[in-house]
Amino acid sequence: MSPSVATPRSSRRPHVNVRRQRRAQAKERQQLAEHIVEHGTTLATQAAAAAALTQARLTDDELQAWRQDLEARLDRVQRNPEQNLGFIEEHLALATKEPLRRLAQRAAQAKANATPCRCPKCQSQLVDQKFLRRHLDSRFGPLELWRGYGRCPHCETWHFPADYALGLGKHAPASPYLQEMAALLVSKMPPEQAVPVAERMGLTLSRCTLDREAHRQGLKAQESRTAALAQLDTVAGLQSLAPQTEGPPSQPFTLVIQIDAWNIRERDHWGQTQKLRAQGETLSRWHWVYVGTVFRLDHRAQTAGNRPVISQRAYAATRLGVEALLRQLYYEALRCGLGQAQDVLVIADGALWIWHAVHDRFPKARQRLDLYHADEHLWAVAHELFGQGTPEARAWVTPLLKRLRQDEVPALIQQLQELQPTLTQALQQKLQTQIDYFADNQKRMHYRAIIRARKAVDKGTATPAQRLKANEPLGSGAIESTCRQYQCRFKRTGQFWSTAGDEALMCLETFWRNGRWHQLYPHATLTSPSLN
Ligand SMILES: [Zn+2]
């Protein structure tokens, strides 16, 4: 082989374009390395500055800038005399937000710095301590926080004690105030509606954040509820549930309990429905939500328009079955004074599960069938016999409705039985169902004394006993309105739930209704003392 043979092109000087490209790449690498060093130095500087912070304050320059901003905005207000107070409110709020954000960040940092780097569970000094930054969303906007962390030599777990002290979730950016807002908004309205509402309140919360955070808060509420219900399992716990009253013992009172259920639509088997149906499984998307309410009769009164109002009442609601409802309801009843009540009255519709449950949990309670449900059963017979909405139906049912109000249920049943032989077999069967309904509920149908007492009150001739009696509800309207209120949130068109999702949100809603919001969010009582 001759040495003069030309070397291949690849071993010669590369093409000018390639050289240019290589030079550019080398420069880029150099810049990146410089950036990393610089960024690292900046981060280290930031971390050092954060670690040195012991109190939250604004610098003189920041205060000066704030004052200038305020003055500029007030000037603008003056230059727009046609604008109303809303314009002034918005401008002042905007002027204040950034200084407050800085102060919140610094106060959080100072608190993080003051938090000892100890295990929140066993209080051991953490080892392998390091410093790490995290970003947060707060009432005033995004915050940045540096905090120490380390490993507990006993629990063998890594901890961020400052996050714990500040009330921050492990992997969620929401501050406690935003956690509360997510819980409040999403338990009242669907997240897609809550996003613009939150924005109007000056809070930047994405749909995803709202959804996830509200669920997390619901799980937290469920944990809190489970811990509270554990009081039912010990004697000391049970004793602590009796209401703490000061002064002389109160007058004898009746405790009223109302129970009902409604159904919610769930998507049980995500993506599996068709397969499972093909395998012959019956899948139901409708599931029962069990609801109860408890109140003292002396906390029920009438408005000027004769509408009943209850000043204090407790709620229980769950998708986890009748037993779960009973446990909650028993807890609420004890807190309302079940142990001190002279008398317990349960009102519900004719559903058998309710009466079985009442028999188990409240064996001494008086039972009352909702009068209006009983009416509906009589109307159902009238419509079958004489046609829907006919004058004949009304004429036939009127004396029977009167009998119901005079506690003449045996006579009413007899009248229905006498009717039976004159009917077709199909109608006879339908009528028999209604006869059974009245026979089964006979002992729960006592309305006359209340109606008489109410008449006496109207006439002004009522005895003290009659005045008490007149206040007893004839029906379960209180729980039915409660069901409707829950349904307004949980039973909207096109809504599908998961059991975990609906139970968590329903638990939040029930905390709110029961006046225990402050147990989940102690900070809320600072600006809303009524929540306590
Ligand atoms: Zn530990």
Side-chain angles (χ1 to χ4, degrees):
M1 196 186 281
S2 158
S4 67
V5 172
T7 46
R9 189 173 171 82
S10 64
S11 69
R12 285 190 308 176
R13 201 168 180 220
H15 188 270
V16 61
N17 283 348
V18 175
R19 288 193 324 250
R20 232 178 246 157
Q21 201 182 350
R22 284 184 188 165
R23 272 201 304 276
Q25 281 171 350
K27 196 175 169 193
E28 203 176 300
R29 273 199 296 274
Q30 173 67 20
Q31 278 175 343
L32 190 65
E34 276 169 16
H35 176 76
I36 289 169
V37 172
E38 198 181 312
H39 183 66
T41 320
T42 319
L43 275 186
T45 317
Q46 282 178 2
L53 202 75
T54 52
Q55 56 177 313
R57 51 193 300 188
L58 295 176
T59 64
D60 288 344
D61 284 351
E62 285 166 343
L63 281 170
Q64 181 66 18
W66 186 5
R67 192 175 300 136
Q68 281 172 355
D69 184 38
L70 266 177
E71 280 164 9
R73 287 176 189 280
L74 289 168
D75 267 353
R76 207 169 153 201
V77 165
Q78 276 207 319
R79 276 185 279 112
N80 288 278
E82 75 289 358
Q83 297 285 359
N84 67 14
L85 177 59
F87 188 74
I88 300 173
E89 287 171 300
E90 294 288 353
H91 266 288
L92 293 183
L94 282 172
T96 311
K97 198 165 175 179
E98 177 55 19
L100 291 187
R101 190 195 68 77
R102 283 172 197 244
L103 281 173
Q105 177 161 299
R106 289 168 197 174
Q109 187 61 62
K111 186 171 171 68
N113 294 344
T115 307
C117 212
R118 291 181 179 281
C119 170
K121 288 180 191 157
C122 72
Q123 299 306 312
S124 303
Q125 188 74 27
L126 299 180
V127 296
D128 299 335
Q129 287 188 17
K130 292 183 184 70
F131 218 44
L132 193 69
R133 182 173 59 165
R134 78 176 283 184
H135 293 97
L136 296 179
D137 295 327
S138 78
R139 181 175 190 156
F140 309 111
L143 308 183
E144 193 180 283
L145 182 73
W146 287 87
R147 72 278 194 251
Y149 69 103
R151 187 172 50 84
C152 173
H154 295 286
C155 310
E156 279 300 333
T157 326
W158 291 86
H159 291 291
F160 288 82
D163 286 4
Y164 189 78
L166 288 163
L168 304 175
K170 232 179 188 175
H171 304 292
S175 69
Y177 179 78
L178 291 191
Q179 293 168 20
E180 184 206 348
M181 285 307 112
L184 186 58
L185 286 165
V186 180
S187 58
K188 305 288 176 206
M189 65 186 82
E192 61 271 24
Q193 286 178 17
V195 173
V197 172
E199 191 191 342
R200 193 58 210 98
M201 285 155 53
L203 306 173
T204 311
L205 286 164
S206 70
R207 183 188 161 156
C208 181
T209 303
L210 274 172
D211 219 354
R212 286 190 190 167
E213 196 51 54
H215 182 63
R216 251 183 234 119
Q217 296 305 311
L219 296 181
K220 184 173 103 177
Q222 274 180 267
E223 261 176 48
S224 179
R225 183 176 71 187
T226 305
L229 293 180
Q231 286 176 277
L232 295 175
D233 304 328
T234 64
V235 176
L238 282 171
Q239 280 166 350
S240 71
L241 285 176
Q244 308 297 318
T245 46
E246 286 166 17
S250 63
Q251 295 288 315
F253 63 89
T254 297
L255 195 70
V256 181
I257 299 175
Q258 299 193 7
I259 304 173
D260 206 350
W262 51 277
N263 47 34
I264 193 163
R265 192 162 57 158
E266 287 178 3
R267 202 175 295 235
D268 305 88
H269 310 276
W270 293 85
Q272 302 272 317
T273 311
Q274 286 194 344
K275 198 174 127 200
L276 290 170
R277 288 228 167 101
Q279 288 168 4
E281 288 197 36
T282 330
L283 302 177
S284 167
R285 284 179 168 173
W286 292 98
H287 301 273
W288 289 108
V289 172
Y290 298 102
V291 189
T293 187
V294 187
F295 56 90
R296 280 172 54 157
L297 197 54
D298 52 352
H299 291 158
R300 183 182 187 267
Q302 310 281 332
T303 63
N306 256 346
R307 198 171 56 84
V309 279
I310 303 159
S311 61
Q312 291 173 44
R313 57 190 278 207
Y315 302 85
T318 185
R319 156 72 183 89
L320 304 179
V322 178
E323 265 310 307
L325 174 80
L326 287 179
R327 196 165 157 80
Q328 284 182 38
L329 202 54
Y330 191 62
Y331 174 88
E332 298 303 339
L334 283 171
R335 287 192 52 143
C336 286
L338 178 68
Q340 295 72 43
Q342 186 191 39
D343 175 35
V344 180
L345 169 66
V346 180
I347 310 176
D349 61 29
L352 269 182
W353 68 267
I354 295 180
W355 302 121
H356 289 317
V358 169
H359 183 75
D360 286 348
R361 275 286 175 164
F362 307 100
K364 289 183 186 160
R366 275 191 292 144
Q367 300 180 0
R368 174 170 301 148
L369 179 77
D370 172 82
L371 172 62
Y372 310 100
H373 272 87
D375 282 353
E376 277 174 19
H377 283 256
L378 282 178
W379 275 105
V381 178
H383 291 149
E384 280 292 343
L385 295 177
F386 302 100
Q388 190 84 24
T390 58
E392 291 81 2
R394 176 170 292 277
W396 178 83
V397 84
T398 305
L400 288 174
L401 294 176
K402 210 169 165 187
R403 286 214 145 149
L404 207 56
R405 281 154 178 75
Q406 286 168 347
D407 297 352
E408 293 171 5
V409 184
L412 184 149
I413 292 174
Q414 198 187 337
Q415 195 174 336
L416 294 180
Q417 280 167 338
E418 282 166 5
L419 197 67
Q420 264 185 318
T422 66
L423 302 174
T424 64
Q425 195 155 10
L427 273 181
Q428 276 188 24
Q429 272 177 3
K430 283 185 180 171
L431 189 56
Q432 189 56 47
T433 313
Q434 303 296 3
I435 291 171
D436 292 344
Y437 175 85
F438 288 107
D440 289 344
N441 285 299
Q442 200 168 337
K443 60 174 189 257
R444 305 184 182 109
M445 300 167 81
H446 299 289
Y447 312 111
R448 187 172 63 169
I450 302 172
I451 294 166
R452 277 192 177 173
R454 287 183 183 179
K455 281 182 183 157
V457 168
D458 287 346
K459 275 193 220 153
T461 58
T463 62
Q466 276 181 316
R467 271 199 292 276
L468 280 178
K469 194 77 190 164
N471 199 26
E472 273 189 26
L474 286 165
S476 50
I479 194 63
E480 280 161 31
S481 77
T482 302
C483 286
R484 274 194 296 278
Q485 288 161 26
Y486 274 92
Q487 286 171 14
C488 281
R489 171 66 186 93
F490 292 92
K491 213 171 169 177
R492 296 185 184 211
T493 318
Q495 265 183 341
F496 272 107
W497 295 88
S498 68
T499 309
D502 55 32
E503 184 67 14
L505 267 195
M506 226 178 295
C507 185
L508 279 177
E509 175 62 18
T510 311
F511 260 84
W512 176 266
R513 288 175 166 267
N514 282 334
R516 291 187 204 129
W517 198 246
H518 64 286
Q519 290 177 4
L520 300 174
Y521 308 103
H523 60 253
T525 52
L526 281 173
T527 43
S528 312
S530 65
L531 287 179
N532 201 342

